[in-house]
Amino acid sequence: MPQVRSFMVLPALPEPLRPLRDLAYNVWWTWNPDAIELFRRLDVDLWRELKHNPVAMLAQLRQERLDRLARDPAYIAALRRVQEQLAAYLERPTWFSETYGHESIGKIAYFSAEFGLHECLPIYSGGLGILSGDHLKSASDLGLPLYGVGLLYRQGYFHQYLTNDGYQFEDYPELDFATMPVTPVLESSGNQLCIQLDVGGRNVWIKVWKVAVGRVILYLLDANHPNNRREDRDITARLYGGDQEVRIRQELVLGIGGMRALAALGITPSVCHMNEGHSAFLAVERIHQRMREDKLTFEQAREVVSTGTVFTTHTPVPAGIDHFPPALVTKYLTPYCQILGITEQTLLQLGRMQPEDAHEPFSMAVLALRLSYLSNGVSQLHGEVSRKMFGPVYPGVPTNEVPITAITNGVHIRSWLSRDMAHLLDQYLGPQWAEDPLNQAIWQRVDLVPDAELWRTHERLRERLVGFARRRLKAQLIARGAPPAEVDAVEEMLDPEALTLGFARRFATYKRATLLIYNQDRLRKLLTDPQRPVQVIIAGKAHPKDEAGKELIKRIVAFTKDPRVRNRIIFLEDYDMSIARLLIEGVDVWLNTPTKLHEASGTSGMKVTPNGGINMSVLDGWWPEAYDGTNGWAIGDRRIYNNQDYQDFMEADSLYDLLEKELIPMFYDRGGDGLPRRWTAMMKASMRTCCPVFNTNRMVREYTERFYLPAARRWHRFTQESYKIARDIAGWRQRVSDKWNEVRIESVDANVPAEVTVGTELPVLAQVRLGSIKPEEVSVELYYGPLDASGQITTGSSTPLRCEGSNGSDNVYRYSGVVPCEYSGQYGYALRIVPSHPEMPARYHIGLVHWG
């Protein structure tokens, strides 16, 4: 085949319409209703057909249509207004500039394997990607000096097609980057910027693209370079596609390639945020950069890099974390070990919970934890789960002190709020709700919204959802070759006035999508009630290799084919952000049924609340923080049974009870004016309590103040004076580790009276041998608290003891302190010694704790 040289052909936009191109290439338009309407007015049918993609629309619109719009004064005036809105957005002062503009913290780099910004850029699969996209949008709103880094998959995530019996098939069409809101990053020569890295012993070329997200730039890496072999070009072919070997190659490109791309752009971030462990190799490359540029040793560079690296885990079960066989890691990482001057064994130990276990797989999450300054889960409950799950990384550390905190997820409200509801909020809450969504006083004003207006607005959204669902169902049936009579019957499916439940998410088994059909007879009775009908809209994809998840889809589709309920329960194929948006806008109730302690956070339920939807969920993920008894429903209680079948039975029973005794009666309890007053009161309670808390503006501000700013300040302090602090800590860490075997607790004595009452302080004396280690290099502490039935301290507290001096020349020191008896019941205490350095990033990161 001859060599093909490529060039770009742009639409011939008339001069008055030229600003449309700039608007199309900044996805700010995705959360500006006026901008969306501007593109929609170009051609409503084409807008739907092209998945709301303005770049593709401008390429496909007929020239006469463009010429006509260029002469339309109303359209040109609307275009100028949106132009002015974008200019004002980009230029106005932000929360960050007004609060921290005086402080030079450098740049923040946010790495994620997927970004869900909009359906026209399908490089996401589910919640992690949507969260990443919303994170960038709020970073733009708040004015953070943040850059995103990800991968540009040329086939994205798969399109889902179901057979007549509900079995899922996948299709991977090639994406045309020329008709997507991505542009190549150009060098001064005019060529696209490319970087290189070693992948399995071969030099791989990576192209760099960018997406404008308001004020923020997202850089995307693409291995589909003509200089690469076919197997290397396929590294970025599919999101979460391929085997473990493809996955580790993708993660090398994301982490190491991402850092090299930033360096080529002249960006040296002070803070790197690893959103899940996929990008953990970035820390390896950062260490390499500091060693090469600043002549540091590996250990010194590691101290510097860890201060400026933060990690968020989204996975509550070990099976959901990337683990690689040691041989696979050495195959791809040996060249980097040689560059770093470390052995393969040293690197492998960084990715193992038990470093000396040569058979333990290499965990990307463990690598991220070991090379980060701060780490977090994504809900308060998930923080607790993560501390237990990753406890072995910190031997000798009580679970409640494992250094993993929690920052609960949120959603970018303006991206998920319907235009109808936005107008209503503007009218009664004022425009401040969009500029400051955290302001709880503003959201209290939702009570001023008349019930009638709130209900009519929500009814319009439900009616729109039903219309969309029917169109989508018809398209599905036609694609399967269904007879015309079956296609025509779709018009009778769903009722725009019926109580509508929505369930849409990834079809992993722990999500328990089939809990709703656990008792089919009981559900069928609810769906077929002629007086108080209920209907359900379901959507979601199973991972291509998840046969168990595919089986769940088949079971649900089989139930939807029952002639008695086929008009009341439907499954929509090919779930994406466009389907999600209409669902969360139009449903009355959002259903969430995960197995407890398996949902890290969940954000889909957060999206329904500003649109007037109400959550009915198991108390898992974010819902235990949000639910207060007035703003939704809790399925079951907080108990976890040892038998999962019994757990399913109990929670399915609770689900049906709630529907029969609470939801359905409340929804159909109408006053003389036809309004469900109790229902609208709960809608308002949901909006009032959830919207100001569970949004990404709050979340990103929390990351900024708890993670980014402390990490950036440490980074700048550690890089001063030729990295003096980092060099000192690296030397101290090595010396303390080498001498730790000299530390012993000789004796512990407490004067416990015959009767101890609350408020008593028990004096404790201890004799501690420190050997070559100085007293100021350790913290000798009492760890105390109530005991459980097995005699263990479950949730303890600690207090340091005071050094009273040595017993002579044998390096034994006397320590004294007290155990405060704060609660009644069985009490206990233990003595421990922990290394202590004023600049140590976290007290347990060194991995040394000595207990008495």
Side-chain angles (χ1 to χ4, degrees):
M1 182 177 179
Q3 180 181 2
V4 177
R5 300 179 183 275
S6 65
F7 57 93
M8 180 73 75
V9 178
L10 298 173
L13 289 177
E15 184 63 33
L17 299 183
R18 292 280 174 85
L20 281 173
R21 184 179 296 122
D22 293 333
L23 290 172
Y25 278 97
N26 189 326
V27 296
W28 164 85
W29 65 262
T30 64
W31 69 93
N32 182 280
D34 293 336
I36 294 171
E37 183 63 21
L38 198 66
F39 291 121
R40 184 174 173 274
R41 284 172 62 183
L42 292 171
D43 188 318
V44 174
D45 294 331
L46 190 59
W47 180 244
R48 288 175 178 167
E49 179 186 334
L50 295 176
K51 294 265 188 180
H52 316 121
N53 183 342
V55 177
M57 275 197 76
L58 293 179
Q60 292 193 28
L61 273 174
R62 297 172 63 88
Q63 193 63 45
E64 61 260 30
R65 174 61 177 161
L66 293 171
D67 294 338
R68 194 180 315 120
L69 285 169
R71 298 188 298 269
D72 183 343
Y75 188 83
I76 298 303
L79 173 56
R80 287 177 182 154
R81 282 195 300 273
V82 174
Q83 259 189 294
E84 292 167 359
Q85 289 176 31
L86 176 57
Y89 174 85
L90 296 175
E91 294 168 7
R92 75 180 182 219
T94 64
W95 168 79
F96 187 84
S97 65
E98 292 182 335
T99 310
Y100 298 105
H102 63 283
E103 188 173 358
S104 177
I105 71 162
K107 307 298 183 183
I108 303 159
Y110 180 87
F111 283 68
S112 183
E114 51 175 305
F115 285 90
L117 294 163
H118 190 262
E119 57 267 23
C120 70
L121 190 58
I123 55 172
Y124 62 92
S125 71
L128 177 69
I130 304 301
L131 186 279
S132 301
D134 283 8
H135 193 113
L136 295 193
K137 293 173 183 178
S138 280
S140 172
D141 289 344
L142 297 169
L144 266 66
L146 183 143
Y147 297 90
V149 181
L151 300 179
L152 184 57
Y153 307 95
R154 73 172 186 272
Q155 295 179 349
Y157 203 51
F158 67 89
H159 287 293
Q160 177 194 55
Y161 298 96
L162 302 184
T163 60
N164 284 329
D165 67 348
Y167 187 79
Q168 171 184 291
F169 282 93
E170 300 84 29
D171 184 39
Y172 294 88
E174 296 276 337
L175 300 178
D176 181 4
F177 298 161
T179 58
M180 294 164 59
V182 298
T183 54
V185 176
L186 302 180
E187 298 178 298
S188 57
S189 64
N191 296 322
Q192 184 169 10
L193 174 65
C194 295
I195 53 100
Q196 302 174 56
L197 68 153
D198 184 300
V199 180
R202 289 195 299 273
N203 188 49
V204 175
W205 291 77
I206 307 295
K207 296 188 287 187
V208 184
W209 302 74
K210 66 179 180 180
V211 180
V213 187
R215 299 179 179 88
V216 167
I217 298 296
L218 166 62
Y219 292 106
L220 298 171
L221 309 180
D222 168 22
N224 189 26
H225 191 285
N227 289 352
N228 293 336
R229 294 188 184 186
R230 178 79 264 170
E231 59 265 37
D232 294 330
R233 296 177 72 168
D234 286 343
I235 291 174
T236 55
R238 297 177 180 177
L239 172 60
Y240 303 141
D243 55 17
Q244 281 192 311
E245 191 144 6
V246 172
R247 181 66 66 87
I248 196 171
R249 294 161 77 191
Q250 286 186 337
E251 295 179 358
L252 282 167
V253 171
L254 176 60
I256 295 177
M259 288 305 304
R260 292 189 183 178
L262 292 177
L265 290 161
I267 300 169
T268 303
S270 56
V271 179
C272 286
H273 185 170
M274 299 181 288
N275 191 45
E276 197 47 277
H278 307 120
S279 60
F281 289 137
L282 75 82
V284 175
E285 176 62 15
R286 289 190 90 190
I287 291 171
H288 172 222
Q289 291 175 353
R290 298 281 63 78
M291 292 176 68
R292 184 184 67 243
E293 296 174 19
D294 303 305
K295 311 306 179 190
L296 301 178
T297 67
F298 174 81
E299 291 299 335
Q300 291 166 348
R302 176 186 172 183
E303 294 295 341
V304 178
V305 167
S306 66
T307 65
T309 306
V310 298
F311 168 54
T312 298
T313 175
H314 292 258
T315 311
V317 291
I321 295 171
D322 281 343
H323 292 87
F324 297 118
L328 194 61
V329 177
T330 56
K331 174 180 176 179
Y332 284 96
L333 274 296
T334 292
Y336 296 99
C337 292
Q338 293 169 349
I339 293 171
L340 297 171
I342 61 174
T343 65
E344 292 92 338
Q345 189 61 26
T346 299
L347 178 66
L348 289 170
Q349 288 177 342
L350 289 173
R352 289 172 173 155
M353 289 199 185
Q354 307 292 341
E356 303 303 326
D357 183 356
H359 301 291
E360 183 180 330
F362 183 89
S363 166
M364 295 296 286
V366 172
L367 178 67
L369 286 168
R370 292 198 192 278
L371 297 179
S372 295
Y373 167 39
L374 298 165
S375 302
N376 72 290
V378 289
S379 69
Q380 296 303 313
L381 182 57
H382 181 231
E384 296 176 19
V385 172
S386 297
R387 285 189 287 274
K388 293 177 183 177
M389 187 166 73
F390 292 113
V393 177
Y394 308 94
V397 177
T399 299
N400 65 302
E401 292 189 343
V402 168
I404 300 175
T405 184
I407 296 179
T408 302
N409 282 344
V411 297
H412 187 254
I413 289 179
R414 284 188 291 179
S415 291
W416 298 102
L417 185 66
S418 68
R419 183 175 185 136
D420 305 67
M421 195 63 74
H423 284 321
L424 194 65
L425 296 181
D426 284 344
Q427 184 177 353
Y428 289 98
L429 277 64
Q432 296 86 358
W433 74 265
E435 298 166 8
D436 186 16
L438 287 73
N439 192 322
Q440 300 209 15
I442 292 174
W443 287 100
Q444 294 298 318
R445 301 189 58 170
V446 77
D447 288 332
L448 300 178
V449 180
D451 288 355
E453 290 192 51
L454 178 63
W455 185 244
R456 300 289 181 255
T457 300
H458 183 67
E459 283 194 312
R460 284 196 302 274
L461 296 174
R462 189 193 314 116
E463 186 174 359
R464 190 178 304 157
L465 169 61
V466 169
F468 165 79
R470 288 172 177 170
R471 290 194 303 272
R472 191 76 175 215
L473 278 171
K474 281 187 176 181
Q476 290 175 195
L477 291 171
I478 292 170
R480 291 182 206 154
E486 187 177 351
V487 175
D488 293 342
V490 169
E491 289 300 331
E492 299 177 10
M493 290 186 175
L494 304 179
D495 179 349
E497 298 183 358
L499 172 60
T500 304
L501 278 60
F503 181 97
R505 52 193 32 87
R506 184 165 54 89
F507 266 67
T509 51
Y510 80 85
K511 303 271 189 183
R512 291 194 301 181
T514 54
L515 192 71
L516 180 63
I517 61 171
Y518 187 91
N519 186 330
Q520 296 187 7
D521 290 336
R522 199 168 173 185
L523 176 61
R524 193 178 292 111
K525 183 178 179 181
L526 297 176
L527 296 177
T528 56
D529 186 333
Q531 302 302 319
R532 301 187 304 181
V534 178
Q535 60 194 16
V536 186
I537 303 177
I538 302 173
K541 298 177 178 178
H543 187 278
K545 295 182 179 179
D546 183 2
E547 292 299 327
K550 292 182 180 182
E551 186 59 33
L552 296 180
I553 295 176
K554 282 187 65 176
R555 289 174 57 192
I556 288 174
V557 169
F559 182 75
T560 66
K561 290 182 175 296
D562 183 334
R564 293 167 290 182
V565 299
R566 67 185 306 269
N567 288 348
R568 287 287 180 262
I569 181 167
I570 64 170
F571 188 98
L572 297 180
E573 289 180 14
D574 206 24
Y575 182 50
D576 65 2
M577 289 179 74
S578 62
I579 294 179
R581 194 176 299 109
L582 284 155
L583 274 172
I584 59 98
E585 289 175 1
V587 298
D588 299 297
V589 176
W590 193 257
L591 186 61
N592 187 37
T593 55
T595 303
K596 283 196 186 75
L597 305 186
H598 284 60
E599 183 77 271
S601 176
T603 56
S604 57
M606 301 175 188
K607 301 180 182 86
V608 303
T609 56
N611 289 291
I614 305 175
N615 280 274
M616 178 168 64
S617 173
V618 169
L619 286 166
D620 199 20
W622 74 289
W623 192 231
E625 298 171 50
Y627 174 66
D628 67 3
T630 70
N631 58 0
W633 295 275
I635 299 171
D637 51 30
R638 297 177 188 271
R639 284 176 292 185
I640 299 176
Y641 300 96
N642 292 329
N643 186 311
Q644 186 58 49
D645 290 337
Y646 187 68
Q647 187 93 34
D648 294 346
F649 166 77
M650 291 295 291
E651 289 173 351
D653 193 59
S654 172
L655 169 60
Y656 297 130
D657 281 348
L658 285 171
L659 287 169
E660 293 165 352
K661 300 173 183 177
E662 294 284 338
L663 276 75
I664 297 172
M666 184 186 294
F667 184 85
Y668 288 105
D669 178 16
R670 307 296 171 94
D673 53 5
L675 296 176
R677 298 284 180 179
R678 289 195 298 147
W679 191 272
T680 55
M682 184 169 281
M683 291 170 67
K684 291 180 179 180
S686 175
M687 298 171 76
R688 191 172 58 244
T689 57
C690 296
C691 292
V693 179
F694 300 99
N695 64 75
T696 43
N697 279 38
R698 183 274 310 158
M699 182 192 80
V700 173
R701 281 176 60 163
E702 201 170 340
Y703 274 114
T704 300
E705 294 177 334
R706 293 178 54 191
F707 276 33
Y708 299 159
L709 289 171
R713 289 163 184 159
R714 285 183 62 84
W715 170 269
H716 288 297
R717 196 164 67 252
F718 273 51
T719 56
Q720 293 173 357
E721 299 181 63
S722 299
Y723 298 93
K724 180 182 183 303
I725 296 175
R727 296 176 193 271
D728 289 347
I729 288 185
W732 169 83
R733 181 195 288 261
Q734 187 62 55
R735 185 169 52 80
V736 169
S737 298
D738 291 344
K739 301 296 183 181
W740 195 248
N741 61 343
E742 299 177 9
V743 173
R744 289 199 300 275
I745 296 172
E746 300 286 335
S747 65
V748 183
D749 296 305
N751 184 14
V752 182
E755 185 176 291
V756 182
T757 57
V758 172
T760 300
E761 293 187 335
L762 300 180
V764 176
L765 297 173
Q767 303 280 340
V768 174
R769 184 181 299 276
L770 297 179
S772 307
I773 297 175
K774 301 173 184 177
E776 59 268 26
E777 294 178 313
V778 299
S779 176
V780 179
E781 302 170 349
L782 284 170
Y783 182 72
Y784 61 90
L787 301 180
D788 62 14
S790 63
Q792 299 297 313
I793 301 172
T794 52
T795 304
S797 302
S798 64
T799 183
L801 300 186
R802 183 175 60 256
C803 183
E804 304 287 0
S806 69
N807 290 345
S809 58
D810 55 358
N811 294 321
V812 175
Y813 294 86
R814 301 187 306 277
Y815 284 82
S816 66
V818 296
V819 177
C821 302
E822 299 165 328
Y823 309 98
S824 59
Q826 194 72 19
Y827 229 67
Y829 71 92
L831 192 74
R832 68 183 179 194
I833 306 173
V834 182
S836 179
H837 189 288
E839 292 290 355
M840 189 164 66
R843 57 193 281 111
Y844 296 125
H845 280 191
I846 193 171
L848 301 174
V849 182
H850 190 92
W851 288 90

